[in-house]
Amino acid sequence: MTLTPRTYLVKTLGCQMNVHDSEHMAGLLEEAGYTKAPAGDDVADIVVINTCAVRENAATKLYGNLGQLASIKRERPGMQIAVGGCLAQKDRGEIVTKAPWVDVVFGTHNIDVLPAMLDRARHNARAEVEIEETLQVFPSTLPSRRDSLAAGWVSISVGCNNTCTFCIVPSLRGKERDRRPGEILAEVEALVAQGAVEVTLLGQNVNSYGVEFGDRGAFAKLLRACGDIEGLERVRFTSPHPAAFTDDVIEAMAATPNVMPTLHMPLQSGSDRILRAMRRSYRSEKFLGILDRVRAAMPDAAITTDIIVGFPGETEEDFQETMRVVEAARFTSAFTFQYSPRPGTPAFDLEPLPKDVVQERFERLLALQERITLEDSQALVGRTVELLVLDGGGRKDDGTARLSGREPGNRLVHFTVPDGAEEPRPGDIVTVAVTHGAPHHLIADSGIAGGTYAVRRTRAGDAWEHAHTDGHSHGDSCGTGGAPAGGPVSLGLPTLRVGR
Ligand code: SF4
């Protein structure tokens, strides 16, 4: 009698690092014999919640999710719930105390134990909590189930050596650990061999990559080395840190054709006084100077940022400094946040500003950035762009019948396939001209007016087609080209145990 494999679902809260960790959690579960729950299902035999601890509402989101799952679990014997990520690393056993229907709690340093802990909890019929203080296994050596065939995340380091006073990350992800360049390039080559045409290099602070093995120029060298990888069309990275951002990185970006002209550079505040209080070791002049040099080397660079409004002690003058820098920086877009005190951070005990003051400033900043973002979009009308067609490239909506892709600046572009023209597959490259600039996306309908429209089939498109035809069906997420259908990808790198 063939047993129906148990299904799993990974819910991800938080940043790209969590998105990437979730791909490894999914890969581990598939290697252990579980199958991904069908797209659209929001329950499964195993539900893993990969948590974030950065924002105040992070805990609310987790316990809200767990509350909903409690009643479902009562109706579904054998269902197991696991909680991982930064809030698990921080709250540990407290999660089981608050939500005793949780079966497994694991941390940011020991993702690899997830399948074994699920088995143990099932066998012992009790909750299992296992948190490590330091990294046990480099997540990138673990199997992964990627959400996209065409594009992949490659982490180059974990942890952070900085001590920004609002940030909980260093205490939850530890000091920076750097992977060896050879390992990173091997993983990039393995992803390209599976059909990926784009990779994003991932680290809490990619500019200080190499600090652990004493090579300050390691990140620029890594970017240049990615330029030599056959078939790799697009390289992106996140997140750099202004304090450690050096000119060799700008030169490497400008000199390496497949490194995309995009930069996500967290400003956090435009006020030097507040930057000092945040323990961000740069000032607004240096920040703007970097942007000037980036734009001198890459005039089309698309620069985005993170900004916190309402840090304790922020005066109207400080806020005006943020507005001045934002006006001067002309960011393509910005992630803007209201300051959120986090237990365990150096700034936690500082007197917070009144909520209405923060809200009012937040709205002024949003209005300014929205204006700049729209002007940036409108300035691209008429520009011919190459788009990497997105997974789930299904129609944006029935009304418009447009597909979607991302241009080199990582802006989202919706485009129309002219009647009778070749329809691209997810992962293919389409050349179109921008016909309309909207606040948070571009429209490129050049093809329907007999204008620019061309499709270049890529290996990523081939891999997608392979994964979605011949009876292969991988639901909404792409299988892993080259790997057994639906199987996780083991990159053949020996499991690296750190610190034992
Ligand atoms: S650089 Fe600062 S904000 Fe970023 S992860 Fe490190 S401590 Fe947190």
Side-chain angles (χ1 to χ4, degrees):
M1 178 186 76
T2 50
L3 278 179
T4 328
R6 305 182 76 218
T7 59
Y8 77 87
L9 186 65
V10 180
K11 293 183 180 224
T12 306
L13 305 172
C15 67
Q16 271 87 6
M17 199 58 98
N18 263 14
V19 171
H20 192 36
D21 284 352
S22 290
E23 293 183 333
H24 289 300
M25 294 172 194
L28 286 162
L29 290 171
E30 294 203 4
E31 192 168 65
Y34 299 94
T35 59
K36 187 172 173 148
D41 279 19
D42 57 3
V43 290
D45 298 320
I46 308 288
V47 175
V48 181
I49 305 179
N50 187 6
T51 61
C52 166
V54 165
R55 308 264 167 257
E56 197 162 16
N57 62 1
T60 322
K61 278 192 185 151
L62 170 63
Y63 292 106
N65 265 289
L66 291 175
Q68 285 164 0
L69 288 170
S71 49
I72 296 169
K73 189 177 177 187
R74 273 194 295 279
E75 309 299 318
R76 208 178 162 120
M79 177 180 172
Q80 289 184 291
I81 301 169
V83 178
C86 290
L87 200 58
Q89 181 75 23
K90 179 174 151 308
D91 288 0
R92 306 172 182 226
E94 200 189 316
I95 292 174
V96 174
T97 313
K98 287 185 180 161
W101 55 93
V102 167
D103 302 279
V104 163
V105 177
F106 63 104
T108 54
H109 299 315
N110 61 338
I111 297 174
D112 59 306
V113 298
L114 174 59
M117 288 183 75
L118 287 167
D119 293 345
R120 254 197 343 262
R122 209 169 26 246
H123 180 270
N124 305 339
R126 68 158 196 264
E128 295 282 335
V129 178
E130 194 178 316
I131 302 289
E132 297 285 352
E133 298 310 330
T134 57
L135 189 66
Q136 301 301 302
V137 174
F138 240 111
S140 352
T141 60
L142 299 172
S144 96
R145 169 116 164 89
R146 289 185 291 123
D147 271 340
S148 163
L149 261 174
W153 306 100
V154 175
S155 70
I156 68 172
S157 65
V158 289
C160 182
N161 294 344
N162 291 313
T163 55
C164 304
T165 54
F166 54 82
C167 184
I168 194 82
V169 169
S171 64
L172 299 178
R173 289 199 177 259
K175 287 285 181 200
E176 181 170 333
R177 312 288 323 246
D178 294 331
R179 294 179 71 195
R180 305 302 297 187
E183 263 185 48
I184 296 167
L185 294 169
E187 183 178 348
V188 173
E189 283 162 356
L191 288 180
V192 172
Q194 288 151 19
V197 289
E198 176 174 305
V199 296
T200 300
L201 304 176
L202 202 54
Q204 302 290 167
N205 186 353
V206 292
N207 289 106
S208 59
Y209 171 71
V211 69
E212 201 190 11
F213 51 84
D215 180 354
R216 284 248 165 247
F219 185 58
K221 291 175 192 161
L222 191 61
L223 289 179
R224 289 180 187 272
C226 285
D228 303 330
I229 297 179
E230 186 68 30
L232 180 60
E233 302 206 18
R234 296 181 169 199
V235 178
R236 302 185 190 280
F237 57 86
T238 195
S239 285
H241 192 296
F245 204 89
T246 45
D247 288 352
D248 59 338
V249 173
I250 300 175
E251 287 147 22
M253 289 177 75
T256 314
N258 67 356
V259 175
M260 296 294 105
T262 49
L263 194 58
H264 181 71
M265 183 80 101
L267 170 69
Q268 304 301 7
S269 173
S271 154
D272 291 353
R273 200 178 69 81
I274 296 297
L275 286 172
R276 197 172 295 113
M278 287 175 166
R279 230 184 275 151
R280 303 273 295 171
S281 45
Y282 58 88
R283 300 293 171 260
S284 57
E285 195 183 335
K286 171 172 180 168
F287 185 93
L288 290 172
I290 294 171
L291 301 196
D292 289 346
R293 293 195 297 284
V294 166
R295 288 186 171 126
M298 295 163 280
D300 294 337
I303 302 174
T304 58
T305 194
D306 296 335
I307 300 172
I308 294 174
V309 175
F311 187 78
E314 182 191 75
T315 63
E316 177 58 24
E317 290 68 38
D318 294 319
F319 178 66
Q320 282 305 330
E321 278 297 285
T322 295
M323 296 290 270
R324 175 186 68 81
V325 173
V326 168
E327 183 72 66
R330 311 284 309 162
F331 296 117
T332 301
S333 66
F335 295 92
T336 51
F337 307 97
Q338 300 190 25
Y339 172 71
S340 168
R342 302 304 299 138
T345 61
F348 181 64
D349 300 322
L350 298 177
E351 180 65 28
L353 294 180
K355 278 206 177 324
D356 59 338
V357 170
V358 178
Q359 180 63 36
E360 189 276 334
R361 287 178 187 167
F362 182 73
E363 286 161 13
R364 268 191 281 156
L365 175 64
L366 219 54
L368 169 61
Q369 185 54 50
E370 290 280 308
R371 171 176 60 79
I372 293 170
T373 298
L374 180 57
E375 288 166 3
D376 170 80
S377 282
Q378 291 170 336
L380 291 170
V381 173
R383 170 90 59 92
T384 296
V385 290
E386 280 203 338
L387 308 180
L388 176 56
V389 177
L390 294 178
D391 258 343
R395 310 219 165 275
K396 182 175 171 293
D397 58 49
D398 295 339
T400 68
R402 288 193 184 99
L403 298 179
S404 306
R406 286 196 181 274
E407 49 84 42
N410 217 19
R411 298 175 186 85
L412 183 61
V413 184
H414 306 303
F415 65 97
T416 300
V417 178
D419 292 345
E422 178 184 0
E423 176 131 343
R425 304 156 304 175
D428 285 340
I429 299 280
V430 164
T431 303
V432 286
V434 176
T435 51
H436 176 70
H440 292 291
H441 65 266
L442 303 168
I443 301 288
D445 284 347
S446 52
I448 48 181
T452 311
Y453 180 81
V455 175
R456 176 162 63 82
R457 296 166 74 85
T458 69
R459 302 169 47 265
D462 298 344
W464 184 89
E465 190 169 341
H466 169 73
H468 287 76
T469 54
D470 315 358
H472 288 110
S473 67
H474 297 273
D476 62 337
S477 73
C478 306
T480 47
V489 176
S490 170
L491 294 165
L493 296 169
T495 300
L496 188 66
R497 283 222 162 260
V498 179
R500 282 222 180 149

